[in-house]
Amino acid sequence: MKTFVTGATGFIGASIVRELLKDGREVRAMVRSASNLFNLKGLDVEIWRGDLLDASSLRSGLKGCDILYHAAADYRLWTRNPDEMYRTNVGGTTAILEAALDSGFSRVVYTSSVGTLGNPGNGMPGNEDTQVSLADMVGPYKKSKFLAEREAEKFFARGLPVVIVNPSTPVGPWDIKPTPTGKIIVDFLKRRMPAYLDTGLNLIAVEECARGHILAEQKGCPGRKYILGNANLSLRDIFRMLQEITGIPAPKVRLPYAPVLAAAWLNEGLSRITGLEPLIPLAGVQMAAHHMYFDSGRAVRELGLSQTPVVEALSRAVEWFRTNNYA
């Protein structure tokens, strides 16, 4: 039987495909007609062209498979039309899980995000059980992923053996878009980071994040959530690591939050008029008001998630971006 992977051309999805192939698994990769197939080039996978919004076609795509990794998502910090993001992240998740339930899948791994979890906001790490509500979600991406995670929980209650994983901030190769975090690395390499905000992230190597998905399939408890993360680092510390890797000086000026927030609001207003992506995404600045620190102890204890130094992942990301002419 084959393993079905949605979002297979994306950053996390392509890494999941690679880890599955290392294990000798047969993979059917779902791609959209307009997808960039660069991340799947040369890989021994079956390509299936489909769309999460075409619910009627999903059952044919899933036929002959019994494991599903649902990693597809619309991941942007800004969109002129939030309804599109909700249709993909919530509606698409509902459609693929309904099809998997009807097809009798033996295991489903749903890729959520730490953005759906509670965060104390005082520098202390959040975990899978930290209290949170929809009102705590900032921006359409986090709100849509929060609602999609609730859908996954409903399907578990209906009998679908779904395990939820919440990746933190993966870094490494194959970040073709790039993701907002990858863009930070690219901007640093282009010397476009003259200053920084006092915020923080939890980083993990994208390869370990992908392996964590497989561990969740094999060892995870259906209905349970697992944070796939590693090191909690301030943005200043991340820039210092990049300085050590590249020799490019890290920014030394810390920006006050209020004027950056005001500039983001202004950018947001202009973008709604022009339709162009803002230089300073409002949702990103609002998220930066808190250190996004998380505790991945459950995944380490119950799944055996590896925790190698993230400086190695940052080094691989730098090398990949340079090799592929991003910087």
Side-chain angles (χ1 to χ4, degrees), residues 275-321:
L276 300 175
E277 185 175 348
L279 295 174
I280 309 173
L282 177 61
V285 175
Q286 291 174 322
M287 291 179 199
H290 304 294
H291 286 64
M292 296 293 289
Y293 290 165
F294 292 93
D295 179 2
S296 55
R298 177 184 291 178
V300 172
R301 293 188 303 272
E302 298 184 16
L303 306 182
L305 180 69
S306 298
Q307 303 277 269
T308 56
V310 295
V311 66
E312 298 175 13
L314 287 169
S315 295
R316 289 193 294 274
V318 167
E319 180 182 2
W320 190 85
F321 283 129

Side-chain angles (χ1 to χ4, degrees), residues 21-131:
L21 292 176
K22 286 180 184 177
D23 291 350
R25 303 271 284 270
E26 290 186 83
V27 176
R28 179 176 296 161
M30 176 177 167
V31 304
R32 293 175 298 165
S33 58
S35 292
N36 180 350
L37 302 185
F38 179 83
N39 274 351
L40 299 179
K41 186 177 180 181
L43 299 183
D44 183 17
V45 299
E46 177 188 346
I47 301 295
W48 185 80
R49 297 187 184 275
D51 194 315
L52 289 173
L53 303 182
D54 184 4
S56 62
S57 71
L58 292 176
R59 286 173 181 79
S60 64
L62 294 176
K63 189 175 181 179
C65 301
D66 68 342
I67 302 290
L68 167 65
Y69 288 84
H70 177 40
D74 185 346
Y75 178 25
R76 292 176 285 169
L77 292 181
W78 180 84
T79 173
R80 194 176 192 181
N81 184 3
D83 288 344
E84 294 178 354
M85 188 171 285
Y86 283 95
R87 279 196 294 270
T88 298
N89 292 348
V90 185
T93 295
T94 301
I96 191 74
L97 296 186
E98 188 74 58
L101 180 63
D102 292 344
S103 301
F105 270 47
S106 63
R107 187 59 57 97
V108 174
V109 179
Y110 168 62
T111 307
S112 185
S113 164
V114 291
T116 68
L117 302 176
N119 187 286
N122 57 3
M124 295 296 292
N127 60 40
E128 294 88 348
D129 300 319
T130 303
Q131 291 297 308

Side-chain angles (χ1 to χ4, degrees), residues 128-142:
E128 294 88 348
D129 300 319
T130 303
Q131 291 297 308
V132 69
S133 70
L134 180 61
D136 298 314
M137 299 294 106
V138 174
Y141 173 71
K142 290 183 69 171

Side-chain angles (χ1 to χ4, degrees), residues 171-228:
V171 292
W174 310 106
D175 192 358
I176 58 172
K177 192 172 279 187
T179 61
T181 309
K183 189 176 184 301
I184 290 174
I185 298 172
V186 170
D187 285 345
F188 179 88
L189 294 174
K190 291 181 174 180
R191 293 171 169 81
R192 293 178 180 172
M193 283 289 179
Y196 66 93
L197 280 173
D198 181 19
T199 189
L201 300 167
N202 181 291
L203 300 189
I204 183 172
V206 70
E207 302 92 339
E208 288 188 342
C209 179
R211 177 54 58 178
H213 282 69
I214 297 173
L215 292 170
E217 176 212 321
Q218 297 171 340
K219 300 180 180 181
C221 178
R224 197 158 166 81
K225 293 189 286 190
Y226 297 91
I227 293 172
L228 303 182

Side-chain angles (χ1 to χ4, degrees), residues 226-247:
Y226 297 91
I227 293 172
L228 303 182
N230 188 346
N232 292 311
L233 297 166
S234 70
L235 188 56
R236 185 183 184 188
D237 286 339
I238 293 170
F239 284 141
R240 285 175 172 172
M241 286 184 177
L242 289 172
Q243 175 179 290
E244 293 175 5
I245 294 165
T246 66

